[in-house]
Amino acid sequence: MTSVLIVDDQPLQRMGFRMVLETEPGVSIAGEAENGIEAVRRTAELSPDVVLMDIRMPGMDGIEATRRITAAGGGSRVLVLTTFDLDEYVYAALQAGASGFLLKDARPDELLAGIRAVAVGDAVVAPALTRRLLHAFAKVLPGNDRRPAEDPRLRALTERELEVLRVVAAGLTNLEIAAKLHLSESTVKTHVSRAMAKIGARDRVQAVIIAYDVGLVDPRG
């Protein structure tokens, strides 16, 4: 059973999510919160598997709430919900520790699939959309003049793992990586998993964020 905390400042929006989730076997609603402060408190109290997090809320917004929830080190994963697929706050939410994001107008089956994916540690943002997002927000990334090999997070990677992480950050799926590097898909999955573990990435989305942050790839081209 996957428990979910619904966070949104709009009562009707919370009701809509609740109606969808209540129809799904294997999903339970841990509770609701109407702002970031309440989201942090209720996450600590209830330890939900997944927190459906709105971004724009009065008081503490979803970004700060996400940062505090993930910094607490619990098992709850955050799935950000946003109105626009290139919302100016989405990149910041991912940096804060969110495991991905979905649009608020996503179909019920997409929302449920996203919740299940996040609950088991997978990323929700599709690789192509990850690439689009990071390129769109390249201007907010800090400059990084270090050579990638100098970053301590990458020192433990083998040459092959480094190569795989680079193409993951470029937005390729496992199948596309397999074709590009002439590897089997299962081998790619192994390399991706090992690379993520070595750099301390919770999921594929964070692995992409780290790759950009350390200068392994350049979002500006």
Side-chain angles (χ1 to χ4, degrees):
M1 184 69 69
T2 299
S3 58
V4 181
L5 175 67
I6 303 170
V7 183
D8 198 292
D9 64 328
Q10 299 295 323
L12 287 178
Q13 188 75 67
R14 295 198 304 274
M15 181 184 298
F17 290 134
R18 177 177 282 274
M19 291 175 63
V20 171
L21 300 182
E22 286 178 338
T23 65
E24 181 66 10
V27 175
S28 66
I29 299 173
E32 299 181 7
E34 62 181 12
N35 56 57
I37 294 175
E38 188 176 358
V40 174
R41 178 177 60 80
R42 302 224 69 192
T43 298
E45 293 174 349
L46 303 171
S47 298
D49 296 309
V50 178
V51 179
L52 288 182
M53 181 73 74
D54 186 22
I55 291 181
R56 300 176 181 178
M57 296 180 290
M60 183 188 294
D61 63 18
I63 296 172
E64 180 59 27
T66 296
R67 184 176 294 111
R68 295 191 185 191
I69 288 171
T70 57
S76 300
R77 295 178 176 273
V78 179
L79 174 56
V80 170
L81 298 168
T82 180
T83 304
F84 306 103
D85 61 348
L86 287 181
D87 190 302
E88 62 182 338
Y89 299 113
V90 171
Y91 178 78
L94 295 178
Q95 278 198 314
S99 294
F101 77 93
L102 288 175
L103 300 182
K104 283 191 175 181
D105 62 358
R107 300 190 310 271
D109 61 317
E110 292 175 330
L111 176 62
L112 293 168
I115 290 172
R116 287 192 291 268
V118 167
V120 298
D122 289 337
V124 172
V125 184
L129 192 53
T130 301
R131 180 174 59 240
R132 177 183 168 195
L133 174 70
L134 290 171
H135 277 271
F137 290 99
K139 63 180 180 295
V140 307
L141 290 168
N144 192 339
D145 297 327
R146 291 180 303 175
R147 294 173 56 191
E150 295 175 353
D151 192 283
R153 287 174 289 187
L154 302 183
R155 290 174 186 165
L157 298 182
T158 65
E159 287 298 322
R160 178 62 84 180
E161 289 166 351
L162 197 63
E163 184 179 27
V164 168
L165 180 58
R166 185 177 286 109
V167 288
V168 164
L172 275 65
T173 64
N174 285 347
L175 187 60
E176 291 169 338
I177 294 171
K180 181 179 179 65
L181 301 182
H182 306 291
L183 300 171
S184 68
E185 191 171 1
S186 62
T187 299
V188 170
K189 289 180 180 178
T190 298
H191 286 313
V192 171
S193 295
R194 288 177 178 172
M196 286 171 51
K198 288 180 179 180
I199 64 176
R202 290 181 306 274
D203 50 45
R204 197 180 184 103
V205 171
Q206 193 184 28
V208 174
I209 297 293
I210 291 173
Y212 276 74
D213 282 345
V214 302
L216 187 62
V217 285
D218 186 353
R220 298 162 181 82

